Amino acid sequence: MSERVNLGKAMPALYQSVLGLDKLAEQAALDAGWAAGFTHLVKMRASQINECAFCLRMHSRDALATGETADRLAVLPAWRETTYFTDKERAGLALTEAVTLVAQDQIPDEVYAEAAKHLNAQEIASIEWLAVVINMWNRIAISSRYPVQP
């Protein structure tokens, strides 16, 4: 892979503002009652869709450090096929996917309706903010070709 401009180094003030937004989104999710480990699963699910190896490695380590299980990480790409996730978490993961794939189908009404069935307004907003921010990070890491080394 050829080197690219590192967005964080080239424009540190913008990078710092994204870090600040990330911290706010994470705190909003915790305030809404989401477990810290699950917030990393949300970030991982978006990163899987976007194929961002840098963010996947980071958030898998972070999720494990906050108590998430290796089993839940392993089945995350196929979460619909498992019983590892609660209805609330499943609604959050579906909403995360919809936000990440917004260019394909906006946010389908059925996804939002299912989210509204299991989540309150603060929980919905916090998941959407987590998804918005991790999608931004994915684009920063991918376009800058952040290195992922063993």
Side-chain angles (χ1 to χ4, degrees):
M1 282 196 216
S2 61
E3 267 192 51
R4 301 273 176 99
V5 170
N6 182 306
L7 293 175
K9 291 179 181 173
M11 297 190 170
L14 286 170
Y15 186 86
Q16 290 300 314
S17 68
V18 176
L19 277 174
L21 185 60
D22 185 53
K23 287 179 183 170
L24 288 171
E26 182 79 23
Q27 189 58 55
L30 295 174
D31 290 347
W34 294 104
F38 184 73
T39 67
H40 292 293
L41 294 184
V42 165
K43 294 174 183 182
M44 286 181 63
R45 186 63 195 122
S47 298
Q48 288 169 344
I49 293 166
N50 290 324
E51 299 181 14
C52 183
F54 183 87
C55 293
L56 281 167
R57 182 188 60 182
M58 178 174 47
H59 291 293
S60 63
R61 290 174 178 175
D62 291 346
L64 290 169
T66 60
E68 271 300 336
T69 67
D71 282 353
R72 282 171 48 107
L73 268 66
V75 301
L76 185 60
W79 62 267
R80 287 178 178 84
E81 306 300 319
T82 75
T83 58
Y84 281 94
F85 303 97
T86 66
D87 288 342
K88 178 179 174 177
E89 290 171 329
R90 297 167 77 75
L93 290 169
L95 192 55
T96 298
E97 290 179 355
V99 171
T100 301
L101 298 169
V102 71
Q104 290 181 4
D105 197 22
Q106 301 294 302
I107 307 289
D109 289 340
E110 58 273 8
V111 171
Y112 195 86
E114 187 67 16
K117 186 167 120 181
H118 298 286
L119 311 174
N120 63 38
Q122 187 180 14
E123 291 166 335
I124 289 172
S126 65
I127 288 292
E128 288 181 341
W129 272 111
L130 283 174
V132 166
V133 173
I134 192 59
N135 275 279
M136 187 180 341
W137 280 125
N138 292 163
R139 281 143 181 83
I140 291 167
I142 291 168
S143 64
S144 295
R145 289 202 174 151
Y146 283 9
V148 181
Q149 300 160 345

Short mmCIF file of all heavy atoms in Angstrom, two decimals, residues 4 16 22 38-39 41-43 57 67 74 80 100-101 105 111 123 132 140 148:
data_model
loop_
_atom_site.label_atom_id
_atom_site.label_comp_id
_atom_site.label_asym_id
_atom_site.label_seq_id
_atom_site.Cartn_x
_atom_site.Cartn_y
_atom_site.Cartn_z
N ARG A 4 -0.47 7.66 2.25
CA ARG A 4 -1.44 8.72 1.99
C ARG A 4 -1.24 9.82 3.02
O ARG A 4 -0.57 9.62 4.03
CB ARG A 4 -2.87 8.18 2.12
CG ARG A 4 -3.22 7.04 1.19
CD ARG A 4 -3.72 7.55 -0.14
NE ARG A 4 -3.96 6.49 -1.08
CZ ARG A 4 -5.15 5.97 -1.35
NH1 ARG A 4 -6.21 6.41 -0.70
NH2 ARG A 4 -5.27 5.03 -2.25
N GLN A 16 -8.81 16.71 16.39
CA GLN A 16 -9.18 16.89 17.80
C GLN A 16 -10.68 17.12 17.96
O GLN A 16 -11.28 16.64 18.93
CB GLN A 16 -8.38 18.04 18.43
CG GLN A 16 -6.91 17.72 18.61
CD GLN A 16 -6.68 16.52 19.51
OE1 GLN A 16 -7.28 16.39 20.57
NE2 GLN A 16 -5.80 15.62 19.07
N ASP A 22 -16.42 12.20 19.34
CA ASP A 22 -16.42 10.78 19.70
C ASP A 22 -16.66 10.60 21.20
O ASP A 22 -17.46 9.77 21.61
CB ASP A 22 -15.09 10.16 19.28
CG ASP A 22 -15.05 8.66 19.50
OD1 ASP A 22 -15.95 7.96 19.01
OD2 ASP A 22 -14.10 8.19 20.15
N PHE A 38 -21.02 -2.91 24.58
CA PHE A 38 -21.93 -2.87 23.44
C PHE A 38 -21.66 -1.68 22.55
O PHE A 38 -21.79 -1.77 21.33
CB PHE A 38 -23.40 -2.89 23.89
CG PHE A 38 -24.34 -2.96 22.72
CD1 PHE A 38 -24.47 -4.14 22.01
CD2 PHE A 38 -25.07 -1.85 22.34
CE1 PHE A 38 -25.32 -4.20 20.90
CE2 PHE A 38 -25.92 -1.90 21.25
CZ PHE A 38 -26.06 -3.09 20.52
N THR A 39 -21.26 -0.55 23.13
CA THR A 39 -20.94 0.61 22.27
C THR A 39 -19.81 0.26 21.32
O THR A 39 -19.80 0.71 20.17
CB THR A 39 -20.58 1.87 23.08
OG1 THR A 39 -19.36 1.67 23.79
CG2 THR A 39 -21.70 2.25 24.05
N LEU A 41 -19.29 -2.79 20.15
CA LEU A 41 -19.88 -3.68 19.16
C LEU A 41 -20.59 -2.88 18.07
O LEU A 41 -20.54 -3.24 16.90
CB LEU A 41 -20.84 -4.68 19.81
CG LEU A 41 -20.22 -5.71 20.75
CD1 LEU A 41 -21.28 -6.68 21.24
CD2 LEU A 41 -19.06 -6.43 20.12
N VAL A 42 -21.25 -1.80 18.46
CA VAL A 42 -21.88 -0.91 17.48
C VAL A 42 -20.80 -0.37 16.54
O VAL A 42 -20.96 -0.39 15.31
CB VAL A 42 -22.63 0.24 18.19
CG1 VAL A 42 -22.97 1.36 17.21
CG2 VAL A 42 -23.88 -0.29 18.88
N LYS A 43 -19.71 0.09 17.11
CA LYS A 43 -18.62 0.62 16.29
C LYS A 43 -18.02 -0.47 15.41
O LYS A 43 -17.66 -0.22 14.25
CB LYS A 43 -17.55 1.24 17.19
CG LYS A 43 -18.05 2.48 17.93
CD LYS A 43 -17.02 2.99 18.92
CE LYS A 43 -17.54 4.17 19.70
NZ LYS A 43 -16.54 4.71 20.63
N ARG A 57 -9.83 -3.66 14.63
CA ARG A 57 -8.84 -4.13 15.59
C ARG A 57 -8.96 -3.36 16.90
O ARG A 57 -9.00 -3.94 17.98
CB ARG A 57 -7.43 -4.00 15.02
CG ARG A 57 -6.37 -4.54 15.98
CD ARG A 57 -4.98 -4.24 15.53
NE ARG A 57 -4.83 -2.79 15.46
CZ ARG A 57 -3.72 -2.19 15.06
NH1 ARG A 57 -2.69 -2.90 14.68
NH2 ARG A 57 -3.64 -0.89 15.02
N GLY A 67 -15.34 -6.10 28.97
CA GLY A 67 -16.12 -7.24 29.42
C GLY A 67 -16.96 -7.94 28.37
O GLY A 67 -17.65 -8.91 28.69
N ALA A 74 -17.32 -12.73 17.91
CA ALA A 74 -17.22 -13.68 16.80
C ALA A 74 -18.48 -13.74 15.96
O ALA A 74 -18.41 -13.88 14.74
CB ALA A 74 -16.88 -15.07 17.34
N ARG A 80 -28.02 -11.54 13.43
CA ARG A 80 -29.43 -11.91 13.25
C ARG A 80 -29.65 -13.42 13.42
O ARG A 80 -30.76 -13.86 13.69
CB ARG A 80 -29.92 -11.49 11.86
CG ARG A 80 -30.12 -10.01 11.71
CD ARG A 80 -30.56 -9.68 10.27
NE ARG A 80 -30.79 -8.27 10.09
CZ ARG A 80 -29.86 -7.38 9.83
NH1 ARG A 80 -28.59 -7.76 9.72
NH2 ARG A 80 -30.16 -6.09 9.69
N THR A 100 -25.21 3.28 8.67
CA THR A 100 -23.99 3.04 7.92
C THR A 100 -24.27 2.91 6.42
O THR A 100 -23.50 3.38 5.59
CB THR A 100 -23.28 1.78 8.45
OG1 THR A 100 -22.99 2.00 9.84
CG2 THR A 100 -22.00 1.48 7.70
N LEU A 101 -25.39 2.30 6.08
CA LEU A 101 -25.75 2.08 4.67
C LEU A 101 -26.78 3.09 4.18
O LEU A 101 -27.53 2.81 3.25
CB LEU A 101 -26.29 0.65 4.52
CG LEU A 101 -25.29 -0.46 4.87
CD1 LEU A 101 -25.99 -1.81 4.96
CD2 LEU A 101 -24.16 -0.48 3.85
N ASP A 105 -30.47 2.91 1.17
CA ASP A 105 -31.91 2.82 1.39
C ASP A 105 -32.40 3.78 2.47
O ASP A 105 -33.40 3.50 3.13
CB ASP A 105 -32.28 1.37 1.77
CG ASP A 105 -33.78 1.09 1.62
OD1 ASP A 105 -34.45 1.81 0.87
OD2 ASP A 105 -34.25 0.14 2.27
N VAL A 111 -37.04 -0.58 9.98
CA VAL A 111 -35.90 -0.58 10.90
C VAL A 111 -36.15 0.43 12.02
O VAL A 111 -35.96 0.14 13.20
CB VAL A 111 -34.58 -0.28 10.17
CG1 VAL A 111 -33.43 -0.06 11.16
CG2 VAL A 111 -34.23 -1.40 9.21
N GLU A 123 -32.02 6.48 23.64
CA GLU A 123 -31.29 5.30 23.18
C GLU A 123 -31.13 5.31 21.66
O GLU A 123 -30.05 5.00 21.13
CB GLU A 123 -32.01 4.03 23.63
CG GLU A 123 -31.95 3.81 25.13
CD GLU A 123 -32.93 2.76 25.63
OE1 GLU A 123 -33.97 2.52 24.97
OE2 GLU A 123 -32.66 2.20 26.71
N VAL A 132 -22.90 7.50 13.40
CA VAL A 132 -22.41 8.65 12.61
C VAL A 132 -20.93 8.86 12.86
O VAL A 132 -20.13 9.02 11.92
CB VAL A 132 -23.22 9.92 12.94
CG1 VAL A 132 -22.54 11.17 12.43
CG2 VAL A 132 -24.64 9.81 12.39
N ILE A 140 -11.88 8.39 7.88
CA ILE A 140 -10.57 8.98 8.19
C ILE A 140 -9.49 7.90 8.10
O ILE A 140 -8.45 8.08 7.46
CB ILE A 140 -10.58 9.65 9.57
CG1 ILE A 140 -11.47 10.90 9.55
CG2 ILE A 140 -9.17 10.00 10.03
CD1 ILE A 140 -11.81 11.47 10.92
N VAL A 148 -2.37 -1.24 9.89
CA VAL A 148 -2.86 -2.31 10.76
C VAL A 148 -1.81 -3.40 10.71
O VAL A 148 -1.66 -4.09 9.71
CB VAL A 148 -4.23 -2.85 10.27
CG1 VAL A 148 -4.72 -3.93 11.19
CG2 VAL A 148 -5.23 -1.73 10.15
#
